[in-house]
Amino acid sequence: MNDRRWLLAAPLLLLGLGLGAHRLLFSDEAPPVEPAPVPTARASSAPAPAPTPGAAKSPPTAHAHRAWVPGTQFVYDLDARQQLSFAQQGARAGETLTITFLGELTMAVVGGQGDRLDTQVQVRTARFDFQSDGRDALDANARERVLGHLQHPFYVTYTRQGAALLTHFERDVDPLTQNLLRSLVAATQFVKPLTTQTTWEAQELDVTGQYVAHYQPAPGERQYARRKLRYLRMSSPQGLRPLEAGMSITVDATTDFGLGEEGWPATVHSRERVAVESGPDLPTALADSEVRLTRSDVRRVPALIGSLELRRQHLGSSTLATQVYAAQDPKAELRRLVAGAKLTDLVGALRALPPDSASSGEATSQLMNRLRALFTLEPDKAHGVPELLRGEKDRNVYSSIIGSLSAASTPEALSALAQVMTDGQQGLRTRVDAAAGLGMAPQPTEEGIAALREMAQSPETDVRSTATLALGNAARNLEEQNSPDAQNLLRELAQSVAASSTPEARALRLRALGNTASPEVLAVIQDALRDTSPIVREAAIEALRLIPGATADQLLAMRMVDDPAPEVRRAAIFATSFRALPGFLPVFERALRTDAVDAVRNDVVRLLGERVTQLSGAADLLAWAGQNDPNGDIRHTAIAYLTPRLPSGPQGP
């Protein structure tokens, strides 16, 4: 399949295009990004009838929020099919494209701010067919390219109600693949109302445009059906636009959802047929699709937290209803963000923000994104930062600039961070933040790592500790970059544990080793768990939090109940919060029933309480603690976590 035909397939997935739309495929300019409209969900006009004594059980209601817990990944079996064609009035249908893929879809919560939540999505295909009129439409090279793009992780920004707003793809992902995956995201979104309702309507986005959806309960527990009613606006390369005269969109689309206890879809079955008529002289675009998702697992992936921010400079972002035709100019979005501002302009805007203001957080985030864009677009601007930060007292200013340099992760940006960290004329907190920023940089440099090594020997405790921990983060980021330097740094950190002269120094280096998240350090951690010092064992247990595998789980479970030091048992509870919790329920129960230290049992109650809506069995343990714990404050805490789950109305004695 040649490149031109490959690109021409993309508009079919977008529907609503004219015959001349393919010219946009070869535009050199990136399409502008329209601010995402916020889809809304409201109650249907017909109120639900009030229950009467002795009446049949009322239909289920949808609660306002799902649980968005960073580091949680939902795994689904995927079965999807799309069929696309054009039909001219009075003539037979033209070429029909049929796309089928089976495999696995994962969705992990990786961060967010305010009402916007970010997820990483990835499709792994077991079967992929792309046919034109029943014949394979891909040659071997094209198939390999498509499969590579199709299975690459991408990101989606949602509202807390579950409406998909923005997608973020690597810039080299071809338009057809982007729109395939964007249509998959749109088909599986479940938008809850702002308040508890039985039936409701929501305005949502898909690759065709903005539409009104109606939700209502279906037979079974936590079962719902969504039906698309009508389209309000049309997608375009510039975002949403009104439906033009003579254009109509006919839709017949129903999706059945089964929700898990935490509010995330457990099953999805979407059937959709859309026809777009653009005018009497233009063909009708037809699309039929069916998507099935069945949840197979829920797991912890804390290493993915913050991954969107780390990759943002390499991604192209657009609203779900912006048509994507050509690869975006990597610098176009950077130029849009910078908008001609100078470094002094952006720093001045940071300094002008009111302290402790509710609006300052969002404004700071926007300015950091613009600074990151400036440092990426014009790397030499980073050279002026060390002088700029000398004498800076405002934590929001110096911390934001340092974070932007770290996110840009250019050699010039990391050189500036190294200079700030090693400069004795800088404030102590500024130097500490610079050390942390060097550790978080997605693309570590030799200069940055050498500076961290130097500061890991600093006589200043805060600088020394932060630089040491940052070396562990740098090792993990080197590993993600497939750098040969990763193994050298990993060995260096492991050897430093044994070479430490005091328990405190050994504990610090163990925590740095834990930041690497490498299974290769497990033997060093196991050895440290045999240390007679509780300080060392506590650090070793914390270092297990990111280490994958059943062995790490077993060590955590054993130390949670058997270690003689309560601080070590508490560290084990903390470390499990980064892992899949179901397997730890028996250990939590034993700790609640047998641990003599109030602080340990309280930590278990708080961890279970924070996950009570997601973790089957947590409510039972909390109920037991609420009735039986010898400490009244712990009993009160356990009951408080359960109170929102109790039915409304008067309760028995």
Side-chain angles (χ1 to χ4, degrees):
M1 187 174 186
N2 61 46
D3 289 341
R4 181 175 177 84
R5 176 170 173 170
W6 173 249
L7 289 172
L8 284 173
L12 284 172
L13 295 165
L14 302 174
L15 310 174
L17 68 161
L19 289 176
H22 66 275
R23 290 194 297 270
L24 296 172
L25 294 167
F26 306 100
S27 170
D28 293 330
E29 294 296 323
V33 177
E34 178 187 89
V38 179
T40 58
R42 60 181 177 84
S44 294
S45 57
T52 57
K57 184 178 179 181
S58 60
T61 57
H63 300 286
H65 298 293
R66 70 173 70 178
W68 298 85
V69 180
T72 302
Q73 184 180 64
F74 298 88
V75 185
Y76 299 92
D77 294 328
L78 169 66
D79 183 349
R81 180 190 62 82
Q82 294 189 6
Q83 192 171 72
L84 311 143
S85 63
F86 284 137
Q88 191 78 39
Q89 186 174 9
R92 67 181 184 87
E95 179 185 30
T96 297
L97 296 177
T98 303
I99 304 167
T100 303
F101 47 103
L102 304 174
E104 178 184 85
L105 179 144
T106 62
M107 182 177 292
V109 183
V110 299
Q113 187 175 37
D115 186 53
R116 303 292 177 95
L117 286 308
D118 300 320
T119 64
Q120 186 201 74
V121 182
Q122 186 170 14
V123 171
R124 295 179 175 89
T125 57
R127 172 189 169 190
F128 176 73
D129 295 325
F130 191 105
Q131 296 184 338
S132 173
D133 290 336
R135 298 183 300 275
D136 195 347
L138 297 177
D139 58 31
N141 291 335
R143 173 175 289 277
E144 182 178 357
R145 183 172 67 249
V146 175
L147 282 174
H149 288 184
L150 190 65
Q151 298 182 117
H152 201 285
F154 65 101
Y155 297 88
V156 183
T157 298
Y158 289 85
T159 68
R160 285 192 180 273
Q161 277 63 54
L165 298 180
L166 300 168
T167 55
H168 317 272
F169 285 91
E170 299 289 334
R171 297 184 187 277
D172 63 347
V173 174
D174 65 79
L176 174 61
T177 302
Q178 287 194 41
N179 290 308
L180 268 173
L181 294 171
R182 279 150 40 96
S183 64
L184 183 62
V185 167
T188 56
Q189 63 184 322
F190 181 87
V191 181
K192 291 191 173 185
L194 291 170
T195 57
T196 300
Q197 302 291 344
T198 301
T199 63
W200 68 98
E201 289 184 359
Q203 292 184 16
E204 303 171 3
L205 302 176
D206 64 12
V207 294
T208 303
Q210 183 180 30
Y211 61 89
V212 177
H214 176 81
Y215 288 82
Q216 66 182 38
E221 186 177 6
R222 294 189 299 272
Q223 302 292 312
Y224 297 89
R226 177 187 69 189
R227 183 166 58 89
K228 291 185 180 181
L229 300 181
R230 62 190 178 279
Y231 277 89
L232 303 174
R233 292 192 287 173
M234 190 77 183
S235 66
S236 78
Q238 290 74 40
L240 292 170
R241 59 181 174 83
L243 294 175
E244 297 177 357
M247 176 180 289
S248 67
I249 303 176
T250 305
V251 58
D252 180 8
T254 302
T255 305
D256 298 322
F257 294 94
L259 303 185
E261 290 185 357
E262 74 294 308
W264 282 75
T267 59
V268 179
H269 184 198
S270 170
R271 291 88 64 202
E272 184 166 318
R273 180 175 177 81
V274 179
V276 178
E277 298 182 36
S278 301
D281 299 324
L282 296 174
T284 298
L286 303 172
D288 288 276
S289 65
E290 183 171 11
V291 177
R292 290 181 183 270
L293 291 182
T294 304
R295 190 196 294 180
S296 59
D297 195 13
V298 180
R299 55 199 181 203
R300 289 289 299 169
V301 285
L304 292 180
I305 297 174
S307 56
L308 172 57
E309 295 309 316
L310 292 175
R311 295 296 302 164
R312 192 178 289 276
Q313 64 180 310
H314 305 289
L315 305 175
S317 302
S318 62
T319 72
L320 199 64
T322 298
Q323 293 180 9
V324 178
Y325 285 116
Q328 298 185 24
D329 174 5
K331 294 185 178 181
E333 176 67 4
L334 297 176
R335 289 193 292 267
R336 186 188 70 82
L337 287 170
V338 174
K342 300 178 180 178
L343 177 60
T344 52
D345 298 331
L346 299 175
V347 174
L350 272 173
R351 289 173 174 156
L353 292 176
D356 303 322
S357 168
S359 62
S360 294
E362 183 176 352
T364 297
S365 178
Q366 292 173 352
L367 286 167
M368 286 182 67
N369 205 21
R370 296 180 69 191
L371 280 164
R372 186 267 307 165
L374 177 65
F375 292 139
T376 305
L377 193 63
E378 302 180 58
D380 288 346
K381 298 298 183 185
H383 295 322
V385 169
E387 182 65 33
L388 189 68
L389 291 185
R390 286 201 186 108
E392 180 60 60
K393 303 295 184 183
D394 189 332
R395 177 69 185 271
N396 192 53
V397 173
Y398 65 73
S399 184
S400 298
I401 296 172
I402 286 169
S404 302
L405 287 169
S406 178
S409 201
T410 64
E412 295 84 354
L414 301 191
S415 177
L417 285 177
Q419 291 178 51
V420 171
M421 180 182 64
T422 57
D423 184 357
Q425 297 182 48
Q426 299 283 356
L428 176 62
R429 296 311 310 167
T430 305
R431 296 173 64 203
V432 168
D433 279 7
L438 272 175
M440 294 300 294
Q443 297 172 306
T445 61
E446 290 184 10
E447 179 184 357
I449 291 174
L452 287 172
R453 285 194 182 102
E454 177 186 347
M455 290 297 99
Q457 307 302 319
S458 170
E460 297 170 292
T461 301
D462 287 347
V463 174
R464 181 175 66 251
S465 298
T466 305
T468 303
L469 296 172
L471 283 169
N473 286 324
R476 180 170 62 183
N477 291 336
L478 284 171
E479 182 67 31
E480 291 180 355
Q481 296 292 326
N482 296 317
S483 169
D485 295 330
Q487 287 299 312
N488 294 333
L489 185 53
L490 202 61
R491 283 193 295 270
E492 176 186 323
L493 290 170
Q495 292 166 2
S496 72
V497 174
S500 301
S501 58
T502 66
E504 290 77 12
R506 193 176 187 196
L508 175 62
R509 285 159 177 79
L510 280 166
R511 290 188 170 96
L513 211 57
N515 284 348
T516 68
S518 172
E520 296 182 28
V521 306
L522 190 58
V524 179
I525 295 174
Q526 285 178 292
D527 181 67
L529 286 173
R530 292 187 285 269
D531 199 290
T532 57
S533 170
I535 293 174
V536 173
R537 297 201 307 276
E538 178 184 4
I541 278 293
E542 288 180 3
L544 288 170
R545 72 192 189 281
L546 302 179
I547 307 300
T551 302
D553 286 342
Q554 293 164 5
L555 292 170
L556 286 169
M558 180 179 67
R559 291 290 170 172
M560 192 187 302
V561 293
D562 290 341
D563 197 281
E567 58 267 37
V568 178
R569 302 198 297 274
R570 296 185 70 186
I573 296 166
F574 162 75
T576 60
S577 68
F578 292 82
R579 308 179 74 83
L581 292 184
F584 289 100
L585 281 174
V587 192
F588 292 149
E589 180 177 7
R590 181 177 168 188
L592 285 175
R593 290 179 179 273
T594 65
D595 203 296
V597 178
D598 289 350
V600 175
R601 301 195 310 278
N602 190 59
D603 285 354
V604 175
V605 165
R606 291 189 176 278
L607 178 57
L608 292 172
E610 290 167 359
R611 311 290 176 83
V612 67
T613 59
Q614 310 159 249
L615 184 61
S616 177
D620 293 337
L621 294 181
L622 289 171
W624 185 91
Q627 293 292 325
N628 298 285
D629 197 276
N631 185 298
D633 289 339
I634 296 177
R635 293 197 302 272
H636 176 79
T637 300
I639 292 171
Y641 280 119
L642 290 172
T643 299
R645 296 170 60 85
L646 296 176
S648 58
Q651 302 298 311

